[in-house]
Amino acid sequence: MTEFDFLYDGTEETKTRFVCVVGETLRRFDLAITSTNRFYGKKLVTDMQTGRTAVIGPDDLEEEGYLEHAYKLSEEEANELRAFLSEVVGPISFTDI
């Protein structure tokens, strides 16, 4: 049997919002947006069509190419997703301590 060194192992209640949005590019985003106390209050955003998940906060939305890379999007599609997420993602809080 394999031995594991656990770095952490915890359980918490989370809140998940399921939303489907379509922008001008007609790209449909089926998202699961999970709020947790982990990751300094950033959101876990899962694209349910592709299964890709990223930890996203306001600083990540400002980082050039972040959404394009994380979700394999064109620049135009990423701009639409960024516009939506900027309304959803709140400020970073340091509750992860």
Side-chain angles (χ1 to χ4, degrees):
M1 180 181 242
T2 304
E3 253 184 68
F4 294 99
D5 291 328
F6 286 86
L7 300 179
Y8 61 85
D9 180 5
T11 304
E12 73 171 91
E13 293 288 324
T14 62
K15 183 177 179 182
T16 303
R17 175 182 176 187
F18 296 93
V19 63
C20 178
V21 295
V22 178
E24 291 179 11
T25 64
L26 300 181
R27 168 65 155 82
R28 177 178 165 159
F29 295 100
D30 290 298
L31 305 173
I33 304 167
T34 302
S35 299
T36 173
N37 289 326
R38 299 262 178 193
F39 313 115
Y40 304 105
K42 292 184 177 187
K43 309 283 192 228
L44 289 173
V45 180
T46 302
D47 179 339
M48 295 188 304
Q49 292 182 13
T50 65
R52 291 185 176 92
T53 300
V55 177
I56 299 180
D59 56 329
D60 302 304
L61 295 177
E62 294 174 8
E63 186 176 329
E64 186 177 332
Y66 184 79
L67 294 179
E68 290 88 336
H69 175 74
Y71 297 105
K72 308 294 184 220
L73 300 173
S74 70
E75 184 177 348
E76 191 175 17
E77 292 168 334
N79 285 336
E80 287 183 348
L81 181 58
R82 186 175 292 107
F84 171 73
L85 290 177
S86 66
E87 297 178 19
V88 174
V89 174
I92 296 174
S93 61
F94 294 96
T95 61
D96 207 22
I97 301 173

